[in-house]
Amino acid sequence: MTAELFGPELNDDGVTFRLWAPAAKRVDLVLDTAMPMTVRDGWFRLEVPAAKPGTRYQFRIDDELLIPDPASRFQPNDVHGASEVIDQRYDWKATSWKGRPWQETVLYELHVGTFTPEGTYRAVIDKLDHLTATGITAIELMPLADFPGRWNWGYDGVLPFAPDSIYGGPDDLKALIDAAHERGLMVFLDVVYNHFGPEGNYLHRIAPQFFSEQQTPWGVAIDYTRPEVRSFAIENAIYWLRDYRFDGLRLDAVHAIATAGTPHLLHDLSAAAGTLAEQTGRQIHLVLENDDNCAALLDPSEIVPRGRYRSQWNDDYHHAWHVLLTGEQQGYYKDYDNPGERIARSLAGGFVYQGEPSSHRGGQPRGEPSGHLPPLAFVNFLQNHDQIGNRAKGERLSTLVPTAALEAALAILLLSPSPPLIFMGDEWGATDPFPFFCDFDGELADAVRNGRKAEFAEAYAQSSDDIPDPLAESTTIRATLDWTALSQSESAKRLSLTQTLLRTRKEHIVPILPEIARGGDARFDDGVLYVTWAAGRKRLYLLANISDRERPRPAGLDRWDGSIWGGSPAAHLDPYSVFVAVGAR
């Protein structure tokens, strides 16, 4: 870690402003007037006694370029405007909150801007009682780092310390987190350390050392071999966990961190979070998205998993289910033929790809053995923002799949041991699409439009009229949840099912999860899925007919007692029927 810290520092005598700009010859701090900053080892510094919370400032680089603070805590006027000094002190109400154990996690992913018609942090508070009544225990916010324009998924952020002003101010975000904690809800934040967005990033000009010569799918890679750059990311993670009291972070696409350094950035970031957890007595949970399926990074059993991570988003689980439910096999879905067998493997052992060659990746081996890990190491889901929005029209499964099949998949998701994640609105079977959207101008806007057309060329060739323009405001409006749908009988029925499933999970599944020390045993035959997990002196059983035809009950089942869902299976299993039991071993 570097001796200096990024961003402004409030003290009794004003504010100390700092900027790491090794490529700059001169930097002036611009308030009402411009003031020259002193420099040492690439760090520009200035103490300003008159500065205070609310002071707005910029940096002028070499008398030619005016920029915001790359570590700005707030940008009232978007990514090119002045930064604002923020007093991070807050009158927290949930002062006794220390978090929840990982086994209780039921994640609910939401996009603040489209979760409600208002699209604000404060508006989310009004829906928290709905989430707790549903059985949700944790909300996961898509990235908030300041992005250019009026709407964005969040993955084009360029100022990682500044929660985007379009949703409200820093105190509004803290009020949301505080209100969630008062209701027993954990709050996670999606953070992006693999790239910066394409507009509003001035680091290339003032600190090209931030970047290596390697590439990511979104541009040049961030160089975490540099101590200052590594500190920037780790400080950012701790900032969200400490100053905003997030209960955990979801790290986006860590396989795309191309210049990770030694030790790997992920190790040092986790270790720093572990130190914070120990110092505060809080339960802090870090979750990965990692296409490489690195089982060695995961350890949900440690109270403070130093250098490791609680869990990983399990794309394999989703992909196998998507192929089974929709029959689609284009793109990465071509790796998931025989989807029933793939689902069984994932339920029993985590990853589907544990070192096998992936045809989608040119025959290269993918993943590591994961059956030794407990199911708590894998966050499973049927949908998330990516898997909906990465379709040309952003359709949800609720518009693609028969109700009976989707409800069976939902029951298996919520009653199997892995922490489940559902996307906003899926608790009532929302049909609102969630297409990709952003707000760029000029050549960058054209590049996004053309890129989407190239990615979904077949869809555009077949039907381009109803494919939403990612730059149009109407697309963001189209993605906004319609809460009036809850008054419809079918939505109410699905919500009731979700509530009952999550209540069953809380009462019967969660208590035995700490006893499930490793993966289970599974088999799939002729449409019938059968999985068991050892849980101390008990065993969790799951039996399901995931086909559209009646199937005979498999011979040689273990004793079926202690049914918690579906009753006792008959000699013949109805289509899309699910049975779950907790019995003695």
Side-chain angles (χ1 to χ4, degrees):
M1 303 286 284
T2 57
E4 293 281 6
L5 298 175
F6 288 87
E9 180 182 1
L10 274 169
N11 49 58
D12 294 337
D13 301 319
V15 178
T16 300
F17 295 91
R18 291 177 289 243
L19 179 70
W20 188 56
K25 297 182 178 63
R26 174 190 173 98
V27 175
D28 295 304
L29 175 71
V30 179
L31 304 180
D32 295 330
T33 60
M35 297 172 281
M37 304 180 74
T38 61
V39 62
R40 180 179 179 182
D41 297 329
W43 282 94
F44 290 82
R45 195 172 189 275
L46 184 64
E47 296 182 8
V48 182
K52 59 185 179 180
T55 295
R56 298 191 181 183
Y57 67 100
Q58 291 175 290
F59 297 115
R60 189 169 65 198
I61 309 301
D62 295 334
D63 290 321
E64 63 183 24
L65 178 66
L66 205 60
I67 69 169
D69 187 346
S72 167
R73 270 42 176 180
F74 190 54
Q75 292 291 118
N77 298 307
D78 211 0
V79 297
H80 300 293
S83 304
E84 182 176 321
V85 175
I86 297 296
D87 186 348
Q88 295 295 346
R89 289 175 297 184
Y90 184 79
D91 183 18
W92 296 95
K93 296 180 176 60
T95 54
S96 63
W97 176 261
K98 297 296 182 181
R100 298 181 68 152
W102 178 243
Q103 66 265 23
E104 296 179 1
T105 302
V106 177
L107 285 160
Y108 186 93
E109 187 189 23
L110 68 88
H111 178 270
V112 173
T114 56
F115 182 58
T116 66
E118 299 85 355
T120 65
Y121 302 124
R122 296 279 179 178
V124 176
I125 296 175
D126 296 335
K127 304 300 184 183
L128 294 181
D129 289 337
H130 160 82
L131 296 180
T132 56
T134 300
I136 303 301
T137 64
I139 59 174
E140 180 177 309
L141 308 182
M142 289 175 64
L144 303 177
D146 206 284
F147 51 78
R150 296 160 291 176
W151 48 78
N152 196 286
W153 269 18
Y155 298 92
D156 293 312
V158 291
L159 298 170
F161 291 81
D164 200 283
S165 62
I166 202 72
Y167 305 138
D171 280 359
D172 297 317
L173 175 56
K174 290 176 181 176
L176 165 57
I177 296 168
D178 201 22
H181 289 167
E182 286 187 297
R183 292 163 173 80
L185 284 166
M186 295 183 285
V187 188
F188 287 68
L189 178 64
D190 196 339
V191 291
V192 182
Y193 297 130
N194 51 53
H195 77 289
F196 290 97
E199 181 187 337
N201 173 23
Y202 294 95
L203 290 169
H204 291 279
R205 168 63 178 85
I206 66 170
Q209 295 88 337
F210 246 90
F211 305 96
S212 74
E213 296 181 356
Q214 298 192 53
Q215 294 288 318
T216 75
W218 311 283
V220 294
I222 302 172
D223 187 0
Y224 290 114
T225 66
R226 293 282 312 201
E228 296 88 352
V229 179
R230 177 169 293 234
S231 292
F232 187 83
I234 294 173
E235 285 179 29
N236 180 256
I238 298 304
Y239 159 79
W240 291 118
L241 295 169
R242 181 193 63 229
D243 294 1
Y244 283 86
R245 301 195 182 183
F246 278 99
D247 299 279
L249 304 174
R250 179 261 192 189
L251 278 64
D252 177 68
V254 299
H255 56 273
I257 299 177
T259 313
T262 303
H264 198 290
L265 169 70
L266 294 179
H267 178 278
D268 284 358
L269 191 152
S270 173
T275 297
L276 177 64
E278 289 180 338
Q279 291 172 343
T280 59
R282 293 168 52 198
Q283 301 207 47
I284 291 176
H285 310 298
L286 302 181
V287 179
L288 299 176
E289 180 195 24
N290 188 359
D291 191 63
D292 290 339
N293 282 2
C294 294
L297 290 172
L298 308 177
D299 186 357
S301 63
E302 292 292 329
I303 296 175
V304 181
R306 288 187 171 277
R308 295 188 181 183
Y309 290 75
R310 288 272 186 247
S311 193
Q312 176 181 315
W313 273 28
N314 193 359
D315 282 342
D316 282 354
Y317 184 85
H318 166 271
H319 296 349
W321 269 109
H322 190 89
V323 172
L324 182 99
L325 293 170
T326 68
E328 297 176 355
Q329 286 194 275
Q330 72 276 18
Y332 45 72
Y333 292 130
K334 69 182 179 181
D335 276 350
Y336 298 86
D337 55 346
N338 302 315
E341 295 178 4
R342 308 284 191 177
I343 292 168
R345 178 175 172 84
S346 184
L347 282 167
F351 301 137
V352 170
Y353 280 86
Q354 302 183 24
E356 295 81 4
S358 161
S359 59
H360 176 64
R361 296 161 183 79
Q364 294 297 312
R366 174 178 175 236
E368 298 172 351
S370 58
H372 64 286
L373 291 170
L376 287 171
F378 309 96
V379 172
N380 286 344
F381 44 86
L382 298 174
Q383 297 190 117
N384 60 37
H385 72 275
D386 266 335
Q387 309 307 336
I388 303 171
N390 285 348
R391 303 176 63 83
K393 301 178 185 179
E395 311 102 314
R396 295 177 186 246
L397 288 175
S398 55
T399 66
L400 301 172
V401 176
T403 297
L406 190 53
E407 290 184 348
L410 180 66
I412 293 170
L413 172 72
L414 299 184
L415 297 181
S416 55
S418 291
L421 176 145
I422 61 177
F423 188 65
M424 61 181 194
D426 283 348
E427 71 273 24
W428 74 75
T431 58
D432 312 287
F434 191 73
F436 176 73
F437 50 83
C438 57
D439 185 26
F440 298 132
D441 295 315
E443 293 182 359
L444 185 54
D446 292 337
V448 171
R449 286 193 181 97
N450 294 333
R452 294 288 287 182
K453 289 179 179 179
E455 183 177 2
F456 301 110
E458 183 177 349
Y460 274 90
Q462 294 174 349
S463 173
S464 61
D465 292 340
D466 58 347
I467 295 178
D469 177 357
L471 284 302
E473 182 178 8
S474 59
T475 300
T476 304
I477 295 172
R478 187 176 180 182
T480 301
L481 272 184
D482 177 12
W483 286 85
T484 66
L486 274 171
S487 63
Q488 300 171 5
S489 60
E490 288 302 310
S491 297
K493 181 181 176 183
R494 176 67 62 81
L495 178 60
S496 178
L497 172 64
T498 303
Q499 291 171 327
T500 304
L501 286 165
L502 287 176
R503 186 163 54 248
T504 302
R505 179 183 184 86
K506 178 181 178 181
E507 294 174 359
H508 298 284
I509 306 295
V510 170
I512 66 172
L513 289 182
E515 300 297 319
I516 303 179
R518 55 176 295 112
D521 299 303
R523 67 179 190 257
F524 177 79
D525 182 47
D526 196 26
V528 177
L529 175 70
Y530 182 54
V531 193
T532 68
W533 297 268
R537 296 182 178 181
K538 296 182 178 180
R539 186 173 289 273
L540 175 63
Y541 304 86
L542 187 150
L543 173 67
N545 177 5
I546 54 177
S547 75
D548 59 1
R549 290 181 290 172
E550 184 180 87
R551 300 292 188 187
R553 169 177 166 163
L557 291 188
D558 291 338
R559 183 180 60 189
W560 196 269
D561 56 7
S563 178
I564 63 171
W565 188 263
S568 296
H572 287 83
L573 310 178
D574 290 335
Y576 302 118
S577 54
V578 178
F579 307 87
V580 182
V582 177
R585 293 184 66 178

